[in-house]
Amino acid sequence: MAKGQSVRKQDIVFLNIFFCFVVIFIHASSEIIEKMNHGQTMFWAILILSRLSGFVVQGFILLSGVKLFFKAGHMRYGKFYLSRLVSIVIPYVIWVVIYYLYFCYRNFYVFSWSELGHFLLFGDISAHFYFIVVLVQFYLLAPLWMLLFRRANPAVVLPVTLIISIMFGMGIGEAAQVIWPELEFSRWDLLFPRYMFYWTAGCMIGLYYREFQNYLREKWIVITAFFILCAALNAWYTVRCIGNGGPWADQMHTLYCISAILFFYMLAQLFTDGGAVFLRPLAGVDRASYSIYLVHCLVIFITNDILDMRGIVSLPQRYGIRLLCAYIGSVVLCLLWQCGKRQIAKIMQKN
C-alpha cells in the first residue's frame, strides 16, 4: 500500500488556511444571527452560510488524524507528547488565561483560581476552545490508535465509528443520566467519541493517502453532486427549522459535514502539483494557523467592545468592521509572533 508520508502536503496547507478562515467567519457572524431581525435578507444569508460553514472543526479533527498517520514506522511517544505539549497544550493554556484576564478586566468575572481551572479543563470560556479539549483526548490515546488503525480494515472501522459518533450526537449522555440519575456530567459534547468518525477517517486517509487522492480525482463528479445535494438539504432544513432545531438535524448535518470535507479536500488537490506556487506567499499563515485559531475570538471581543464604546449600533456596519478586524488583526498579530519566535530562536542558536 502507498503510504501518506511520501505525498507532498500542499493540499493540507490549503485546508489548514481555508478551515482557519472559515472559523473566523463563523464567530465574526454570530452577532448578526443573534440580533438581526429575521425579516432581513442579510440575516438569512449569513445564517445559511454560517450553517454551511459548520464542518470546519470536524475538518480540523480529520486533518489532525491525517498528519498523525503520515509518520512511518514506530512512533517515539515521548517526543510526540512533548511536541504536542509545547505546540498545542501550552499555547492553549496561555490563551485561556489571557481570555480570562481580559474578561475579568471587563468585569464579566471576578478572578478565581477554581473558575480558571474549570475553563482550562472544559474549554468553555470561548466558543472555539472545546476543539482543543477534544483534540488532546485523541492525542492522549495515540498508542491505541496506532495499534488499532494499522491493523483495522477501513470498511469495518469507518462504519463502526460513524455509528458511535451518531449515537453520541443523539443524546447518549442524557440516556446515561436516566440510568445513573446521580450523574451530573453534562458536557458530553466534549468527549472524543462524539467526533471519533472524523478522527478515524483522518487516520485512514493518512495511512492510504495516495489511494485517497486517486479516489478524489476519479470520483470528483459524484463527490461534487453529493456535496451540492447535502448543502441544499442542509440550507433548506436550516430555513425551515429556524428556532427549534428540528428532528434529525444533527444527523443531517453529519451527512453534510462528510460531503463538505470530501468536496474541499478534492478542491485542495489542485494545490498538490503546479498549483502549489499559489500557496507559497501563504506559508506563514499556514504556520500561524493554530495561533490564529486561538486568538481570533479575542480580537472579535475587543472589536465589539470598542464598537460599543464608540456607540456604533448598526449591525451591518459593525459586521463589516468586525470582519476586517478579525481577519487582518488575527493574521497580522500571529505573523508578527511567528517572526518574533524565529528571531528569538536565531539569537539562542548564536549564543
Side-chain angles (χ1 to χ4, degrees):
M1 291 292 180
K3 300 299 181 182
Q5 64 271 16
S6 63
V7 182
R8 295 171 65 189
K9 302 179 184 179
Q10 288 86 357
D11 46 359
I12 292 181
V13 171
F14 168 81
L15 291 171
N16 265 335
I17 297 170
F18 175 69
F19 289 166
C20 186
F21 283 2
V22 173
V23 166
I24 295 175
F25 164 78
I26 293 172
H27 293 134
S29 303
S30 61
E31 186 181 66
I32 294 291
I33 296 172
E34 293 170 3
K35 297 182 179 180
M36 182 167 277
N37 189 299
H38 292 191
Q40 295 183 249
T41 303
M42 184 177 180
F43 166 80
W44 291 105
I46 298 300
L47 175 67
I48 292 172
L49 284 175
S50 183
R51 179 65 173 173
L52 294 181
S53 300
F55 65 92
V56 289
V57 167
Q58 292 87 338
F60 273 132
I61 291 173
L62 181 139
L63 280 184
S64 298
V66 171
K67 288 180 279 190
L68 177 67
F69 273 78
F70 268 132
K71 297 182 179 295
H74 298 287
M75 179 182 292
R76 297 170 59 186
Y77 291 108
K79 183 177 180 181
F80 169 77
Y81 285 121
L82 180 60
S83 70
R84 294 307 183 269
L85 176 66
V86 172
S87 63
I88 302 295
V89 177
I90 291 179
Y92 164 77
V93 171
I94 291 172
W95 280 106
V96 169
V97 171
I98 292 173
Y99 275 69
Y100 184 60
L101 292 176
Y102 179 76
F103 289 144
C104 288
Y105 168 74
R106 296 291 297 157
N107 296 317
F108 292 111
Y109 303 114
V110 176
F111 186 87
S112 164
W113 286 107
S114 61
E115 188 173 52
L116 176 58
H118 168 89
F119 288 137
L120 287 169
L121 183 61
F122 292 98
D124 53 358
I125 194 170
S126 183
H128 62 309
F129 281 132
Y130 80 95
F131 160 69
I132 314 301
V133 177
V134 174
L135 187 61
V136 168
Q137 295 173 61
F138 283 116
Y139 284 149
L140 287 173
L141 295 172
L144 174 63
W145 311 130
M146 286 293 177
L147 177 66
L148 175 62
F149 294 151
R150 288 190 181 279
R151 301 180 180 181
N153 184 339
V156 175
V157 72
L158 288 173
V160 169
T161 54
L162 178 60
I163 292 171
I164 292 172
S165 296
I166 290 175
M167 288 176 61
F168 267 76
M170 293 177 67
I172 196 170
E174 289 79 357
Q177 287 179 307
V178 171
I179 300 173
W180 297 288
E182 68 279 4
L183 187 63
E184 297 182 356
F185 183 72
S186 59
R187 296 304 310 274
W188 298 94
D189 60 312
L190 285 176
L191 298 182
F192 74 89
R194 177 71 180 86
Y195 309 93
M196 194 170 177
F197 170 74
Y198 304 102
W199 175 263
T200 302
C203 294
M204 292 292 105
I205 291 169
L207 276 173
Y208 306 106
Y209 209 84
R210 190 69 56 83
E211 291 87 343
F212 178 66
Q213 286 186 313
N214 291 337
Y215 172 82
L216 293 178
R217 293 188 181 102
E218 292 172 2
K219 302 295 183 181
W220 70 271
I221 295 177
V222 175
I223 291 170
T224 302
F226 180 48
F227 168 70
I228 293 173
L229 175 63
C230 291
L233 287 173
N234 204 15
W236 172 80
Y237 208 64
T238 297
V239 172
R240 288 296 299 268
C241 300
I242 180 66
N244 58 18
W248 301 101
D250 188 77
Q251 290 72 39
M252 181 174 291
H253 190 62
T254 297
L255 190 65
Y256 167 72
C257 288
I258 295 171
S259 74
I261 292 171
L262 279 173
F263 177 75
F264 287 106
Y265 224 128
M266 180 191 73
L267 289 184
Q269 300 307 302
L270 298 173
F271 298 95
T272 56
D273 297 311
V277 66
F278 296 104
L279 292 179
R280 289 173 188 168
L282 297 175
V285 178
D286 175 51
R287 289 191 297 269
S289 60
Y290 181 59
S291 298
I292 295 169
Y293 182 88
L294 293 175
V295 76
H296 77 275
C297 278
L298 185 59
V299 174
I300 291 172
F301 292 141
I302 294 173
T303 302
N304 287 339
D305 288 340
I306 294 173
L307 291 172
D308 292 339
M309 287 186 287
R310 291 184 173 272
I312 299 175
V313 296
S314 168
L315 290 177
Q317 186 179 2
R318 289 170 63 91
Y319 184 53
I321 295 172
R322 189 186 308 112
L323 278 177
L324 284 175
C325 291
Y327 281 108
I328 297 175
S330 301
V331 172
V332 170
L333 281 173
C334 293
L335 287 178
L336 289 174
W337 170 241
Q338 290 291 327
C339 291
K341 284 199 304 182
R342 286 200 298 271
Q343 293 302 317
I344 294 171
K346 289 178 181 179
I347 294 172
M348 292 180 66
Q349 286 177 354
K350 290 179 179 179
N351 296 335

